[in-house]
Structure formats: structure tokens, C-alpha cells
Amino acid sequence: MDCVPALDEPLKQPLKSVLGPATAKVMAEHLGLHTVGDLLHHYPRRYEERGQLTHLADLPMDEHVTVVAQVADARLHSFASAKAPRGRGQRLEVTITDGSGRLQLVFFGSGVHKPHKELLPGTRAMFAGKVSVFNRRLQLAHPAYELLRGDSEETVETWAGALIPIYPATAKLESWKIGKAVQTVLPSAQEALDPLPGPLLAGRGLLPLPEALLKIHRPHTKADVADARARLKWDEAFVLQVALARRRHADAQLPAAPRRPKPDGLLTAFDDRLPFTLTEGQRKVSEEIFADLATEHPMHRLLQGEVGSGKTLVALRAMLAVVDAGGQAAMLAPTEVLAQQHHRSITEMMGDLAEQGMLGGAEHATKVVLLTGSMGAAARRHALLDLATGEAGIVIGTHALIEDKVRFHDLGLVVVDEQHRFGVEQRDALRGKGRQPPHLLVMTATPIPRTVAMTVFGDLETSVLDQLPAGRSPIASHVVPAADKPHFLARAWERVREEVAGGHQAYVVCPRIGDDADEAADPGKAGRRKSPEDEAEKRPPLAVLDVAGQLGQGPLKGLCVEVLHGRMHPDDKDAVMRRFAAGETDVLVATTVIEVGVNVPNATAMVIMDADRFGVSQLHQLRGRVGRGSAPGLCLLVTEMPEAGAARQRLNAVAATLDGFELSRIDLEQRREGDVLGQAQSGARSSLRVLEVIEDEEVIAQAREEAAALVAADPDLTGLPGLRTALDALLDEEREQYLDKG
């Protein structure tokens, strides 16, 4: 093993281990730390100051905490129990204080002897355990502890410096044990290969990597911590941006057929028939796309924008430009409901321009076909033939487009709607159906803060539509506290009846369908970490099938109420949507299948039940289904959560603004960036430990500039072994696929 570089050395080996085998096993299984390098990059999440005690006043319930405090009092009690019926059971109660509050520790049985001897009044120590409540008082039961004796050589050595690092820990491995393990491997930091080029380090005044690792783990001052974090943030931002810059560089070398629209072709005919003028934003973004389509390298562009900003129209104009140039365009939608909706709205927008070969078809017409998994055999055969012969210029479909049987005559553009719902392999399979790499336009209806777009979608050029078309109406949003004020909920149903009486329609959205098979559909379970309110909420989320029945018999009796959910047969779903779009249905009770793309201008009201079960961005998406016509929209967020809780604050934020970019920042600040990055990076664990994509906007932007300049000058990174090693570590197989195919 002598030839293994120090940082690549496994923590656990068959013959000798860097750490004790039990410690190494827990680190691997519970913290994902396998090598010396992994452990050195497991940074402290905060620091305790020796002269300053932790605040006990606001300890979080049911979380593992580490506190530094002083023993105020220790008492041993005897009691009778099933195991010790003669009153020989022992309980040690220790009260600790930090000047701001007090906390009780309890030890039972044979576990009382050691702490009884060691935890004497006046003793200072670090304590770790899970906060619980007993007799309405906070306590730690059987906490692990480490005495802090200033005169002990070992303790002084182990906790050297004025600051005590507190590490992300687990119940099986306390923070200070991780700290001791880090001290064991810290000398290896001297051998760390620096990923940052020398000129960049010097130009930005950054610490060398070995010094940064030493200061993050053994700081003497707060300035040491700040310097180390500033350097390590650059590592994470720069290495990721180099990976994305190399991806962009490689794409620029690929050949693609330029697609320039004819001067008087299909696109011109379509524009001439538009009953409205394009917004300034739509014109600008379209010009960016047309410029990309005219190049000999594949376009890779992300089109993001506000709900209702007209992304579909921009994408359609891009598809028409490609058809004009003799190619075909495919739009990939995540659900059948959305694919059918896109097909319906695109054929309606195009009119006779979508009727090539049919009686009454226009001169420059093409064929627009739909391809989904549930189509009948005859219709499917017909669609496949139209694609293979080139008869169909535009195809809209679900993952059925990716199947082997699907052949294109000349695929020139792929439009992916709601990109985050597709796996890497699915997108790649569709792009592989072109003779040459087709141009790629990715659309997302969830506005993404600029820094997240740069970090996650850095290999795509970004276009933003932040202007709503003229004639779109404002949406009023209100939180309805059903538990505190039940009469507010009664009033909500009255408002729905008023909208219907005025000739309009309404949506009611529920988190669940209403049978046992859809537990996974609860976004409260899957989409975000459980909050204390969620834990306290024992009632299952409200379900479409239950709510529709109750409304039809109760507050909305006499109105035409229908249901829509993901497990209905596709033909039934389509029939329900058609009836709703035609105004035959007054109220549609649905799951989030209506979240994106559904366009019914006459729908003016939406009631979202158990709104606290949805994420901020998802609520914004749902709300965007109303106010799509000339009449103002109304969105009511119904919740039973208490007013002071985090869930209500989240809902208040949604009610307070219609700015999707602002809401996406709030959403991101309330979640870990890793969740965002992990989801986008094919589910891989986030590589970000110190970089925060919202706070570190400047670092990310600067790192992107530096990375682009470096890759342009030296795409193979010759003479930068440290950077190549860091890239290999960042781009495990899964991430590499994401970047190669994304």
C-alpha cells in the first residue's frame, strides 16, 4: 500500500487501518467517508469558543446536538422498577448550564457510575445526544461526553487552538470523536494536490490547499476559519465550473446542421396570423435561439421563465424555423396530460398550418403528430410512418418518443419541457436519433436563480422570459387558516360558487389521489425534509376522491364537479380535460397533474387543500393555472398549520409575491443546495460542502470566468495534475454521464 497517495489511502484496510476498524466502519456507512481525503474534506459545520458557552435556550427538539457547558448540580436517586424491585435502581440527574439556560442530563442503571465520578459541579465538558422532553423539561438521556480539562496534555493537544470544531455527526459517532480522527490524518494534508492553478491562487490572494485544510480543522482565530472557507469555496466553485466549461468546449467542437428559416416560409406565415404582438422578451429570446440554430454546432440552451410568460410560443417558433429549414422538431413532455395539452394548444395556434396534406391545409403547412404510450396500434403506426418519411415536421410526445422503433427522417431540434423530470438516459436517447447531434432547447417553468442556473445548468446558455404577455390578469393569493378560522374555509367555497355564477371555472388541488397505492404521491413525504409541524400532523393528506365527493354533496352541491389524477386511463384524462376546457365542467378536483402546461383561460379560481404539503415552487406553478385570461385570478392556500410555524411562513411568502425568481430563492434558502444539485445531477450526492449557491453568487460568477479562460487556453488541462485529480473526484461515473449527456 506504500504506493497509494496519502489522501487516497482507505480509512479501513484488511491488515492495518488508519483509524480503528469500528470508527472507520461507522464513517463509511453513516457519513460516506472512505479515504483520508474524504475525512479531510469533512469540514466542521460550526465552532465553539473556549471562553464562550453554547446557548441552551434554543435547542432543537429531536435533533442530535453538541453543547459545551458546565455542571451546576449532580444528584443520584434510587428507585424501584421491574428490574430492580427493591428500590435498587439508580438514576443520575445532572444539571448543566451555559449562563443562558439549563439542561438536564439523565443516566440510568450501571451507566451512572462513570459520570457520577466525573461530572462534578464546576466541571466543563462537551455533551452530545438527542434532545427530548420529560415532564415538560428538555433533557439529554445518556449523552456521550468529553471532559474539557485545561491541564490535560491530551485534551489540550486534541482541542488545540481557541476554537473547538463541531462536525456533522451521527448518533453512532459524536463530533469530538470525528475531531480526534481528523487530528490523526491531518499531517497528510501537506500532501494534498492543489486543484487551483498558481496564477489564480496568487491573483485572488487565496491560501494554498494544505494550509486551508489545516486552518479549517485547527483554527486559532475566526480569521483562520474565514480564510480557509474562502479558499475551499473557490475549490468547489472552480472545479465544477471547469467541468462545465469543458463540456461547453466539447459541444462547440461537434458538427450540427445549421437551420435557418426561409424568408417567406412557415414561420413567417405563422407570425402573420398571430392575433397579438410578441413581448419584447419573446422577441429577444427568439433572436438568441435563431442565432444558435444558424450555427454549425449544436445549440444547448435553457429557456426559463415565469408561469404564463409564453415559453411554449417561443419554443414553437423555434420548431417552425427548423421545419422551414427542412428538418424535424420533437417536443418531449413529462406526462401524457401535458403532451396532449401541448399538442392541442400547438395545433390550435397553428390552425391550417398544421394540416399538411389535408383538405384546407395552408400552402406552407406541416403535420403535427402526437406520440404517447397509450395510443392505439393503428394511430401509433400512422404517427411512426409520418416521422420516418418526414411528413410530420413536429412531433409532441412522452418518453414513448425514445423507444427503438421511433425513427426520424431528419431530427434537427429537441425541445425538452420540464427538464428535471427526465433522466439523463432518456434525454440522450432522443438526441441520439438525429443524423448529426440535434440542437437542444430545454424549458423549465420553475424560475431558477441565476447562480443555481450557473451551477447546475452551467453547460447551457440561459435565456430568461420575465415579462408577462399583455392581457394576462393579476392573481390574488390568500392563506386560509382552516383550523384557526373554519369560517374562512366556508367563505372559500362561497367564492368558488361566485366565480362559477359569473361564468367562470375553478380548480381544487389535493396532495393525494385517495387510495393506498399513492402514499408516495404525498409531496410532504418525498419533496422536502419533515418539519416539526409535519411530524405533529397525524392526519393523512387530503385526497382528490374524498374531497370531490364531499364538495359535490356539500358546499358545491349542484355544480358540475369532476376529478383528474395520474392513474386514470389516458383517454379518460383527455376527455375530462376537454370537457373542462370547453366549459362543461364547473370545478375540477385534481392532483398536481395540472401543475404545468394546462391552459384554460376561463378558469379563474384555485383552492389548494393542505397547501403546506407542497413546496414553494410547486405552489407557484399550480397558481399559474389561473388568471390566464382577461378576468383576474384567485388562489386560496388552505392549511391547518399553526400561525407561528415554518409551514405558514412559507405559505405567507407565496401569498405575498407573484415573482417566481424571488420565490425560488426563498425555496432554495429553506432547503439545502445539495437537494437542488443532487436532483439535477442525476441524483448524485452533492459535492458542495462550503459553497452556498445563493450567498456565494460572486464567487461562482468569478469562477465561471476563470474556468472559461483556462479551458479556452488549455482544454486538456496539461500541467495541472491537481485539477485533473479534483475533476476525477467530482465526476464520479454518475455525474460524468450527467455532464456528457445533459
Side-chain angles (χ1 to χ4, degrees):
M1 298 299 293
D2 293 338
C3 61
V4 176
L7 269 62
D8 292 338
E9 195 168 344
L11 296 172
K12 184 170 185 265
Q13 299 171 31
L15 299 176
K16 71 178 184 75
S17 289
V18 176
L19 306 175
T23 303
K25 185 173 184 236
V26 172
M27 283 192 171
E29 290 178 1
H30 294 272
L31 295 169
L33 307 176
H34 302 279
T35 66
V36 169
D38 289 345
L39 183 52
L40 285 175
H41 289 294
H42 186 71
Y43 308 132
R45 59 187 172 86
R46 61 187 176 87
Y47 301 85
E48 290 293 354
E49 294 184 57
R50 283 213 178 277
Q52 202 177 46
L53 296 171
T54 314
H55 288 290
L56 296 177
D58 29 65
L59 288 175
M61 271 295 296
D62 285 338
E63 283 195 24
H64 286 277
V65 296
T66 302
V67 296
V68 177
Q70 188 166 316
V71 176
D73 186 37
R75 298 178 188 221
L76 192 63
H77 301 276
S78 298
F79 62 91
S81 70
K83 289 185 180 175
R86 296 184 184 171
R88 291 183 186 164
Q90 290 192 304
R91 180 175 76 249
L92 176 66
E93 292 181 359
V94 178
T95 304
I96 60 172
T97 180
D98 67 352
S100 75
R102 296 164 83 83
L103 179 66
Q104 188 163 299
L105 317 178
V106 287
F107 302 86
F108 294 98
S110 58
V112 304
H113 304 307
K114 185 168 178 272
H116 188 219
K117 282 186 203 162
E118 293 182 334
L119 297 179
L120 304 173
T123 304
R124 290 182 74 246
M126 297 176 73
F127 303 91
K130 191 175 182 181
V131 182
S132 58
V133 171
F134 182 72
N135 280 344
R136 298 190 176 183
R137 290 171 65 190
L138 293 181
Q139 70 168 26
L140 297 182
H142 282 283
Y145 63 88
E146 174 87 4
L147 301 181
L148 296 174
R149 296 193 190 98
D151 56 349
S152 157
E153 272 306 308
E154 185 194 351
T155 308
V156 170
E157 181 58 35
T158 307
W159 310 108
L163 297 170
I164 301 167
I166 306 295
Y167 289 90
T170 74
K172 293 182 182 291
L173 196 65
E174 295 85 11
S175 168
W176 58 80
K177 288 185 182 170
I178 296 170
K180 284 182 176 177
V182 169
Q183 298 304 320
T184 306
V185 302
L186 204 50
S188 302
Q190 294 305 323
E191 298 178 48
L193 277 175
D194 204 317
L196 299 189
L200 191 156
L201 276 177
R204 300 274 174 189
L206 299 170
L207 298 178
L209 182 57
E211 191 181 337
L213 290 172
L214 194 65
K215 284 188 171 178
I216 198 91
H217 291 296
R218 288 181 68 170
H220 291 282
T221 63
K222 288 181 178 177
D224 283 352
V225 176
D227 290 347
R229 285 178 68 83
R231 159 61 216 249
L232 295 166
K233 283 182 179 193
W234 257 94
D235 276 19
E236 292 179 1
F238 183 71
V239 173
L240 182 59
Q241 291 301 336
V242 166
L244 293 167
R246 291 182 86 195
R247 168 81 175 93
R248 285 196 302 275
H249 183 269
D251 284 340
Q253 312 310 309
L254 291 173
R259 309 283 179 172
R260 296 183 184 88
K262 294 178 199 159
D264 291 310
L266 187 55
L267 178 61
T268 306
F270 175 75
D271 284 349
D272 288 346
R273 293 161 189 234
L274 278 177
F276 50 81
T277 54
L278 297 174
T279 66
E280 190 56 41
Q282 287 171 330
R283 283 188 187 286
K284 179 173 161 287
V285 169
S286 289
E287 281 164 17
E288 291 170 352
I289 291 170
F290 293 153
D292 282 358
L293 290 174
T295 64
E296 295 181 353
H297 306 293
M299 170 175 78
H300 284 82
R301 190 166 282 280
L302 172 70
L303 172 57
Q304 59 159 326
E306 272 298 0
V307 177
S309 58
K311 290 180 296 297
T312 308
L313 176 63
V314 169
L316 174 56
R317 293 184 77 236
M319 291 193 284
L320 294 175
V322 169
V323 174
D324 254 354
Q328 291 170 291
M331 179 184 266
L332 191 59
T335 64
E336 292 210 351
V337 166
L338 190 51
Q340 288 161 341
Q341 174 73 29
H342 275 318
H343 182 254
R344 194 158 45 239
S345 63
I346 283 172
T347 49
E348 281 170 8
M349 278 196 275
M350 288 178 65
D352 60 359
L353 294 173
E355 296 173 357
Q356 185 190 47
M358 296 166 67
L359 201 59
E363 180 193 349
H364 297 291
T366 186
K367 221 180 233 188
V368 180
V369 301
L370 176 69
L371 190 65
T372 64
S374 65
M375 283 170 74
R380 186 179 177 75
R381 259 196 318 275
H382 209 92
L384 290 173
L385 185 64
D386 284 343
L387 288 182
T389 59
E391 191 87 359
I394 296 175
V395 59
I396 295 145
T398 56
H399 57 274
L401 279 175
I402 296 162
E403 291 168 11
D404 289 342
K405 290 177 187 169
V406 180
R407 294 276 180 274
F408 288 87
H409 176 65
D410 180 14
L411 181 61
L413 171 66
V414 174
V415 178
V416 180
D417 193 16
E418 287 308 297
Q419 187 259 10
H420 63 272
R421 301 196 185 190
F422 289 99
V424 169
E425 292 75 16
Q426 290 173 308
R427 295 195 302 272
D428 188 51
L430 185 54
R431 284 172 62 191
K433 290 184 179 292
R435 293 180 198 165
Q436 296 186 68
H439 298 281
L440 176 69
L441 181 64
V442 169
M443 295 201 300
T444 176
T446 306
I448 305 166
R450 175 172 163 266
T451 38
V452 184
M454 280 197 305
T455 309
V456 182
F457 300 106
D459 59 328
L460 301 174
E461 296 299 324
T462 305
S463 293
V464 175
L465 278 175
D466 50 11
Q467 202 180 355
L468 292 184
R472 288 298 298 265
S473 302
I475 305 169
S477 304
H478 303 283
V479 177
V480 177
D484 309 348
K485 299 176 178 170
H487 60 286
F488 275 35
L489 182 58
R491 175 68 188 129
W493 302 126
E494 284 175 19
R495 283 291 290 111
V496 170
R497 293 192 81 99
E498 287 165 13
E499 289 298 312
V500 173
H504 298 297
Q505 293 159 276
Y507 298 99
V508 177
V509 182
C510 303
R512 213 160 50 96
I513 295 171
D515 49 37
D516 296 337
D518 73 335
E519 280 304 306
D522 176 10
K525 288 188 177 174
R528 52 190 175 78
R529 297 192 326 206
K530 283 189 172 65
S531 66
E533 294 109 309
D534 289 330
E535 296 287 4
E537 176 63 271
K538 301 300 181 202
R539 170 179 66 67
L542 290 170
V544 165
L545 300 177
D546 302 335
V547 169
Q550 290 160 10
L551 292 176
Q553 321 246 309
L556 302 185
K557 193 171 181 179
L559 301 185
C560 179
V561 177
E562 287 208 69
V563 299
L564 180 71
H565 58 76
R567 280 207 300 278
M568 290 166 63
H569 188 278
D571 290 347
D572 295 339
K573 282 191 282 196
D574 195 39
V576 168
M577 274 312 301
R578 281 181 184 281
R579 285 195 293 275
F580 190 65
E584 295 166 23
T585 305
D586 297 321
V587 179
L588 187 63
V589 183
T591 56
T592 55
V593 292
I594 61 147
E595 182 183 348
V596 287
V598 173
N599 183 30
V600 180
N602 193 47
T604 54
M606 175 176 286
V607 181
I608 303 178
M609 308 302 293
D610 281 343
D612 48 275
R613 309 264 180 163
F614 300 95
V616 169
S617 294
Q618 199 171 27
L619 290 170
H620 184 57
Q621 287 306 315
L622 288 166
R623 171 172 63 185
R625 298 310 102 207
V626 295
R628 301 180 76 85
S630 53
L634 173 69
C635 180
L636 302 174
L637 307 167
V638 179
T639 179
E640 292 185 359
M641 289 291 113
E643 191 168 357
R648 278 284 282 278
Q649 287 170 14
R650 217 169 48 242
L651 296 181
N652 290 339
V654 174
T657 180
L658 292 172
D659 183 340
F661 287 91
E662 176 59 29
L663 287 173
S664 68
R665 287 183 82 95
I666 292 168
D667 202 15
L668 189 62
E669 281 160 3
Q670 291 182 346
R671 293 152 53 194
R672 294 183 359 267
E673 287 90 351
D675 295 343
V676 176
L677 292 169
Q679 180 191 45
Q681 306 236 25
S682 189
R685 186 168 65 92
S686 169
S687 61
L688 301 190
R689 295 179 176 90
V690 286
L691 189 72
E692 295 178 17
V693 292
I694 287 290
E695 285 183 23
D696 298 320
E697 193 158 353
E698 206 173 311
V699 174
I700 291 166
Q702 290 170 358
R704 184 178 168 106
E705 280 175 32
E706 294 272 9
L710 177 76
V711 170
D714 180 11
D716 297 326
L717 310 178
T718 48
L720 292 169
L723 180 53
R724 286 205 303 273
T725 302
L727 278 171
D728 290 342
L730 171 76
L731 301 178
D732 54 28
E733 201 174 328
E734 215 174 353
R735 276 201 184 88
E736 189 135 37
Q737 278 192 329
Y738 170 79
L739 289 172
D740 282 349
K741 299 177 182 176

